[in-house]
Amino acid sequence: GTAFENTRVLPRAFAPARVRRVAPPPAAPWPVADAAAAFGPEFSAVTARQDWGATASILAPGPPESVNPTVEIAGYTESTNAARFDARVAGGDNALVVLSLAQDGGWSARDEEDRRLPTFLANGPFFAVEVPPGAHRVRLSYEPPGWRLGWSLSVATTAALAARALARRARSRRA
């Protein structure tokens, strides 16, 4: 047999050397239904890249291209609907950490003090989180888009059906 090895494999969470920002489409609904279309012409550049660690494209306002601060990432762990890692951002600017997790609008990020960290689409359908300078424990959590609405509708429907059954029961006792 033949064994193949990818010597340029990236970790699940990594900090690209450069960041290209693509302005989000105006009034785009979240979650983004078509990440390729949301990135526009930049998506062709993303798919043509040979070195994903060198440059990442993110759907976010800001300067078109910038150097990403150096980030040391350690202790990445993942479980059902959650992940966490430690990040040490050098310098005085926020850094972007890209993850090979598909972002459908359900991922959110918080730091060790439970402050929400900004998240973005990266390289099409993937996930990026902005981490401030210094050492941080980043916690990621996933809740499927629409889950809360679906749960609320289910509870409301169950309550309505229970009320209807109780009303019918009360009417049948009076009759």
Side-chain angles (χ1 to χ4, degrees), residues 34-112:
D34 183 352
F39 276 84
E42 179 68 16
F43 192 71
S44 295
V46 169
T47 58
R49 284 198 186 113
Q50 296 295 313
D51 184 357
W52 291 74
T55 304
S57 296
I58 64 163
L59 204 60
E65 190 162 346
S66 62
V67 174
N68 198 29
T70 302
V71 183
E72 292 177 33
I73 300 170
Y76 182 89
T77 60
E78 194 171 310
S79 62
T80 305
N81 296 339
R84 69 174 28 172
F85 60 90
D86 296 320
R88 182 177 302 277
V89 178
D93 294 324
N94 291 353
L96 281 158
V97 174
V98 175
L99 296 106
S100 59
L101 299 170
Q103 172 60 306
D104 63 359
W107 284 104
S108 62
R110 294 191 175 275
D111 69 7
E112 67 283 353

Side-chain angles (χ1 to χ4, degrees), residues 1 18-19 23 28 35 39 56 64-65 72 74 95 97-98 105 107 110 130 134 143 145 148 153 157 159 164 172:
R18 299 190 66 72
V19 174
F39 276 84
E65 190 162 346
E72 292 177 33
V97 174
V98 175
W107 284 104
R110 294 191 175 275
E130 187 175 71
E143 183 177 283
R148 287 181 193 223
L153 291 173
T157 301
R164 183 175 179 193
S172 67

Side-chain angles (χ1 to χ4, degrees), residues 111-138:
D111 69 7
E112 67 283 353
E113 294 179 11
D114 207 35
R115 291 180 296 225
R116 184 175 284 274
L117 299 173
T119 61
F120 308 96
L121 277 176
N123 295 332
F126 299 107
F127 179 45
V129 60
E130 187 175 71
V131 182
H136 298 281
R137 160 92 14 135
V138 178

